[in-house]
Amino acid sequence: MEIPRHIAFIMDGNGRWARSRGLPRIKGHEAGAEAVRRVVAAALRHGVRYLTLYAFSVENWSRPQAEVKALMRLLGRFVSSNVDELRRKGVRVRVMGRRSDLPRATDRALAAAELETAPCSKLQLVICVSYGGRTEIAEAARRLALDAAAGRIDPTSIDESAVASRLYLPDVPDPDLVVRTSGERRLSNFLLWQCAYAEMLFVPVLWPDFDMADFDAALEDYASRSRRFGGV
Ligand code: IPE
Ligand code: IPE
Ligand code: MG
C-alpha cells in the first residue's frame, strides 16, 4: 500500500466533543492531546516521515482569553511531558508559526523540545502554532522584498522556488494528504501554499475520538486515489 510521506491534520472538533458531554471546552482540548499521542504512534508504525498538526491558528487568538490561556498552557505541558518519549522513539519536533506571539513559557517549552529532539530523524512532527497560511506567505514576500532591496536577488528572477525557500520550514516536503476532522470542509488558512496538490480528506469524527482505526482508514482512502499533478 502506498503510504503518504507527509500527512497533515486539521485537528478540529474538541469544543463540540466537550459540549456533547457537558464538559468545558478545555476538557475537549485535553482529550485532543491524547488523540495526538495516538496519531504519532500510528504514523511511526506506518513509516510516515512527516506529520504536521494544526494546533492553533492566527485567527484562534480571537477566542475567549481563558480558552486561549488554557490552550497555551496545555501545549507547553503536552510538549514538555512527552519530549523524552518522543526522543526515544526518534521523533523530531519542529514548530512553525508566528513564534513571537506565544507566551514565554509556551515558547520555551517548544524551543526545548526542538533542541532535545533535533538529532531524531525517524519522524518529523511539525506543530503549527499561531500559524496562518496567508501570514506565512506574506512574511515570505517581505523577505523577498528585503532581499531585492538589498541587492541580494534580482527581482526579475523571482519564481516559485524563491517564494518556497522563504516559507517557515522550506526543507519539509508538501503534504501528500490533509485530513480534517469534525465534518467541516474548509482549510481555515492552513498550509495554503503547500497544499497545491494535496489529497484532501474530510471525516465526521471529532478530533478527540480520532483513533488508530480512523488513521488506518485514512491511509486506505489515500492509497485508493490516483494523483495526477495536472498530467494524465
Ligand atoms: C480544534 O477544536 C482545536 C483548536 C482550534 C485549537 P475546536 O476548539 O475548534 O473545536 P470546535 O470546532 O469548537 O468543536
Ligand atoms: C482550525 O480550526 C484551526 C485549528 C484546528 C487549529 P477552527 O475551529 O479554528 O476553524 P474554523 O473557525 O471552524 O474555520
Ligand atoms: Mg473548530
Side-chain angles (χ1 to χ4, degrees):
M1 188 167 83
E2 168 96 7
I3 299 289
R5 177 164 61 150
H6 182 177
I7 309 184
F9 281 95
I10 302 174
M11 310 185 287
D12 200 13
N14 297 353
R16 279 163 279 173
W17 183 92
R19 195 177 55 206
S20 73
R21 285 165 175 73
L23 297 169
R25 291 178 63 84
I26 188 64
K27 291 290 171 199
H29 299 312
E30 286 171 10
E34 284 310 306
V36 169
R37 289 173 50 84
R38 289 195 292 274
V39 164
V40 170
L44 281 166
R45 187 155 52 82
H46 286 285
V48 172
R49 301 302 306 272
Y50 299 86
L51 178 65
T52 295
L53 303 176
Y54 200 8
F56 193 91
S57 71
V58 286
E59 288 80 17
N60 288 149
W61 293 109
S62 69
R63 294 190 177 196
Q65 211 196 325
E67 182 179 352
V68 169
K69 231 176 127 181
L71 264 171
M72 287 296 145
R73 192 170 320 135
L74 174 63
L75 189 62
R77 248 194 297 133
F78 177 79
V79 167
S80 305
S81 61
N82 284 283
V83 67
D84 289 342
E85 186 181 341
L86 290 169
R87 192 186 46 219
R88 262 199 322 276
K89 291 183 170 161
V91 181
R92 177 178 176 193
V93 175
R94 305 183 74 181
V95 177
M96 69 173 185
R98 230 161 44 192
R99 292 292 280 266
S100 57
D101 290 348
L102 304 181
R104 191 160 318 164
T106 307
D107 190 47
R108 243 190 263 132
L110 293 170
E114 286 177 303
L115 195 67
E116 283 172 45
T117 62
C120 300
S121 59
K122 202 163 175 215
L123 169 69
Q124 294 206 17
L125 174 63
V126 179
I127 306 174
C128 300
V129 251
S130 196
Y131 175 84
R134 287 182 172 180
T135 300
E136 181 180 29
I137 294 167
E139 287 183 14
R142 186 164 60 217
R143 279 185 214 120
L144 274 174
L146 288 168
D147 285 342
R152 287 187 291 267
I153 52 161
D154 171 4
T156 64
S157 76
I158 292 172
D159 56 8
E160 287 185 17
S161 70
V163 178
S165 68
R166 287 166 178 83
L167 298 174
Y168 291 132
L169 299 178
D171 59 299
V172 173
D174 289 346
D176 300 296
L177 174 66
V178 175
V179 181
R180 182 170 189 150
T181 57
S182 89
E184 307 299 342
R185 294 164 187 234
R186 53 179 172 262
L187 273 178
S188 301
N189 204 8
F190 187 49
L191 302 179
L192 297 181
W193 176 279
Q194 298 89 335
C195 281
Y197 267 101
E199 295 296 325
M200 309 296 302
L201 177 63
F202 299 100
V203 295
V205 48
L206 302 174
W207 177 252
D209 290 328
F210 197 87
D211 63 16
M212 295 278 193
D214 296 311
F215 191 95
D216 291 354
L219 289 189
E220 263 173 49
D221 191 316
Y222 175 81
S224 75
R225 299 182 186 199
S226 129
R227 302 184 75 188
R228 287 192 283 274
F229 299 100
V232 286

